């Protein structure tokens, strides 16, 4: 990104100085800005808001140059010890009806709880070990 070299008067608008985001980033990085701000916070409340604006301008500039940071990846839910018949079917390539039938016939060890089968991951591993080709 090319930055135009402008005269100092360009940044003056009455009694206000306009500081571009690239200049904010330079001031923030080169001037140990974070430490100075922390040590002087609250001494002059109006200046605090200007310093915050400089920090935000620096952040905006970095985002334009580097791109925004990727959102943190969502944590995966921990695996349950138990599988449903649908999950069992997915693991073994069965239909859900076939998985329920295998549980009912005792080919896969499962517990019947409130009319639904639940299968431990250990039982799945034993089934796979018995039926390896």
């Amino acid at each position: 990104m090319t930055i135009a070299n402008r005269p100092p008067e360009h940044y003056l608008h009455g009694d206000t100085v306009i500081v571009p985001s690239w200049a904010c980033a330079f001031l923030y990085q080169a001037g140990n800005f974070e430490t100075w701000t922390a040590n002087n916070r609250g001494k002059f409340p109006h200046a605090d808001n200007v310093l915050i604006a400089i920090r935000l301008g620096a952040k905006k500039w970095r985002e334009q140059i580097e791109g925004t940071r990727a959102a943190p990846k969502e944590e995966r839910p921990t695996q349950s010890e138990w599988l449903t018949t649908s999950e069992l079917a997915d693991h073994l390539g069965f239909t859900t009806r076939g998985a329920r039938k295998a549980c009912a016939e005792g080919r896969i060890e499962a517990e019947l709880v409130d009319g639904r089968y639940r299968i431990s991951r250990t039982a799945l591993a034993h089934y796979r070990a018995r039926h390896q080709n």
Side-chain angles (χ1 to χ4, degrees):
M1 182 176 275
T2 305
I3 300 169
N5 189 9
R6 300 177 191 233
E9 296 78 21
H10 176 80
Y11 302 104
L12 288 174
H13 294 275
D15 64 348
T16 303
V17 176
I18 305 298
V19 182
S21 59
W22 61 264
C24 292
F26 173 77
L27 291 169
Y28 193 81
Q29 185 175 13
N32 201 9
F33 192 83
E34 197 67 42
T35 303
W36 189 89
T37 303
N39 291 338
N40 294 288
R41 185 172 291 127
K43 291 181 180 175
F44 189 61
H46 298 296
D48 288 346
N49 290 335
V50 173
L51 296 174
I52 291 168
I54 290 172
R55 187 176 76 227
L56 293 174
K59 180 180 178 209
K60 180 75 92 179
W61 175 255
R62 281 193 310 273
E63 287 174 356
Q64 288 175 349
I65 298 302
E66 300 168 1
T68 56
R69 290 193 174 121
K73 291 189 178 180
E74 198 173 300
E75 287 187 33
R76 288 183 165 179
T78 56
Q79 284 187 336
S80 170
E81 179 184 345
W82 303 99
L83 299 171
T84 64
T85 52
S86 295
E87 292 169 327
L88 177 66
D90 289 342
H91 281 282
L92 297 176
F94 291 178
T95 63
T96 53
R97 185 171 184 236
R100 284 192 303 274
K101 187 175 179 184
C103 292
E105 294 173 355
R107 291 185 282 142
I108 297 175
E109 186 180 330
E111 294 180 24
L112 191 58
V113 179
D114 293 329
R116 297 180 185 268
Y117 287 106
R118 67 180 198 176
I119 305 96
S120 70
R121 293 188 181 275
T122 305
L124 171 62
H126 287 293
Y127 179 86
R128 282 187 168 155
R130 287 192 314 266
H131 293 87
Q132 279 183 338
N133 292 337

